[in-house]
C-alpha cells in the first residue's frame, strides 16, 4: 500500500442473514384474516358487520371543513328529534350516541335526523322471544328474508351537480361578453369608494337644484 492511507478494515462478518425479516406466512395470514371476518359475521348475525350507524359530520379546521366524513355518534338532540325518548333505546338498535357532541348548525341537525329516519325505515328488529313478539318486531317472513349488511352502513353519497350544456345562440353573441362583465365588476369593486362619493355629490346637486326651483347656480369669478 502506497502513502499514508487508511488501513483496509472491511467488515464482512456481520451475520446479516440472522437479522433479515421474512414474510413467508403472508398467504396463510391472508386466509386467517378471511376466516376471522367470516367468523365475526356469523357471530354478530343478523346485525351489520360494520357495527353501529354513524352520523355525517364536517372535518375540523378551515382547510378541511368542506369535507364530510362519518363521526363518532349522534347528538342527544338528533336522537330526540328522530323520535327516540331514550338514547339507550337507540343504542340497542345499532345507533351510535355521543353525548359530548353538539349541533352547531340547523343543517347538520336536519341531515342527521333524516339519516336516522331512513335507518329506522329500513330497520328489521328481531324479537328477543319468538313466541312473544312485541310491537314493532319483524314477522317470520321478514326475518327469513333478511340479508346481513356488509361494509359501511349508509355510506356518504355525493350529490351529482348536473351541468346542463346548450348551444350558443345569436342572442348570446349579441349580449354583453362575460369578459367585459367581469372587468366592469372588478373596476366597480376597486373604485367603489370613489364612485360612491361622486354619486352622492351628483345626487346632492340634483336635490339642491330641485329645491331652488330648477335654477342652477353658475360658477364664476367674483
Amino acid at each position: 500500500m502506497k502513502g499514508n492511507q487508511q488501513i483496509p478494515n472491511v467488515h464482512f462478518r456481520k451475520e446479516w442473514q440472522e437479522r433479515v425479516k421474512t414474510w413467508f406466512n403472508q398467504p396463510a395470514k391472508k386466509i386467517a384474516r378471511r376466516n376471522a371476518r367470516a367468523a365475526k359475521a356469523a357471530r354478530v348475525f343478523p346485525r351489520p358487520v360494520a357495527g353501529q350507524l354513524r352520523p355525517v359530520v364536517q372535518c375540523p379546521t378551515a382547510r378541511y371543513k368542506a369535507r364530510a366524513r362519518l363521526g363518532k355518534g349522534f347528538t342527544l338532540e338528533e336522537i330526540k328529534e328522530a323520535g327516540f325518548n331514550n338514547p339507550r333505546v337507540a343504542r340497542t338498535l345499532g345507533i351510535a350516541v355521543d353525548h359530548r357532541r353538539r349541533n352547531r348548525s340547523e343543517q347538520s341537525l336536519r341531515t342527521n335526523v333524516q339519516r336516522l329516519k331512513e335507518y329506522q325505515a329500513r330497520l328489521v328488529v328481531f324479537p328477543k322471544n319468538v313466541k312473544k313478539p312485541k310491537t314493532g318486531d319483524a314477522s317470520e317472513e321478514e326475518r327469513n328474508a333478511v340479508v346481513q349488511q356488509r361494509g359501511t352502513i349508509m355510506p356518504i353519497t355525493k350529490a351529482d351537480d348536473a351541468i346542463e350544456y346548450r348551444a350558443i345562440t345569436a342572442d348570446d353573441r349579441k349580449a354583453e361578453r362575460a369578459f367585459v362583465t367581469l372587468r366592469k365588476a372588478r373596476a366597480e369593486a376597486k373604485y367603489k369608494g370613489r364612485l360612491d362619493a361622486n354619486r352622492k355629490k351628483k345626487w346632492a346637486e340634483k336635490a339642491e337644484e330641485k329645491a331652488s326651483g330648477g335654477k342652477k347656480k353658475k360658477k364664476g369669478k367674483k
Side-chain angles (χ1 to χ4, degrees):
M1 185 174 179
K2 184 180 179 182
N4 186 19
Q5 306 294 337
Q6 183 180 1
I7 299 171
N9 185 17
V10 187
H11 299 74
F12 283 143
R13 298 179 181 176
K14 293 187 178 180
E15 305 294 341
W16 62 270
Q17 295 91 340
E18 296 180 4
R19 292 188 291 276
V20 171
K21 188 166 180 63
T22 58
W23 289 272
F24 297 125
N25 63 342
Q26 189 172 6
K29 283 288 184 183
K30 181 180 179 180
I31 297 170
R33 287 193 297 271
R34 183 188 179 92
N35 293 338
R37 288 195 297 270
K40 180 188 175 183
R43 186 173 65 252
V44 301
F45 183 84
R47 296 190 296 273
V49 179
Q52 295 178 312
L53 177 71
R54 305 285 176 180
V56 177
V57 298
Q58 302 303 126
C59 293
T61 71
R63 182 175 183 178
Y64 299 106
K65 65 182 180 181
R67 180 175 170 270
R69 65 172 176 83
L70 295 179
K72 181 180 175 63
F74 292 89
T75 62
L76 300 178
E77 189 179 0
E78 289 166 354
I79 295 292
K80 188 176 180 181
E81 288 287 332
F84 293 100
N85 296 325
N86 194 340
R88 294 180 182 176
V89 177
R91 283 196 177 102
T92 61
L93 296 174
I95 298 170
V97 181
D98 186 7
H99 67 277
R100 294 170 295 185
R101 201 177 127 247
R102 298 287 182 271
N103 289 105
R104 304 294 181 188
S105 67
E106 189 68 27
Q107 183 182 356
S108 69
L109 176 65
R110 283 189 277 104
T111 301
N112 286 318
V113 168
Q114 184 62 29
R115 185 175 173 82
L116 284 169
K117 288 181 178 178
E118 287 179 16
Y119 177 76
Q120 285 179 274
R122 301 181 192 179
L123 192 64
V124 178
V125 182
F126 277 57
K128 286 186 176 180
N129 189 351
V130 182
K131 295 180 181 178
K132 297 178 181 179
K134 294 182 179 179
T135 307
D137 291 344
S139 62
E140 188 176 356
E141 292 79 13
E142 291 175 336
R143 295 198 302 270
N144 293 334
V146 164
V147 178
Q148 191 175 28
Q149 171 73 31
R150 300 292 180 99
T152 308
I153 306 169
M154 295 176 64
I156 300 171
T157 55
K158 268 191 173 182
D160 295 332
D161 298 332
I163 302 172
E164 294 182 2
Y165 297 94
R166 64 176 179 80
I168 299 172
T169 60
D171 295 335
D172 295 333
R173 295 183 188 279
K174 291 177 183 178
E176 194 172 358
R177 291 177 296 170
F179 176 76
V180 176
T181 307
L182 288 172
R183 294 292 291 185
K184 283 184 177 179
R186 185 179 174 185
E188 184 78 20
K190 186 175 181 180
Y191 301 109
K192 185 176 184 302
R194 208 178 299 176
L195 291 171
D196 289 346
N198 292 337
R199 286 166 188 161
K200 285 180 182 178
K201 189 177 179 181
K202 287 181 181 178
W203 293 338
E205 289 176 359
K206 285 183 180 179
E208 188 179 350
E209 185 181 348
K210 191 176 181 181
S212 61
K215 293 179 181 179
K216 191 175 181 181
K217 292 180 181 179
K218 293 182 180 180
K219 293 181 180 179
K221 293 181 180 180
K222 289 183 179 179

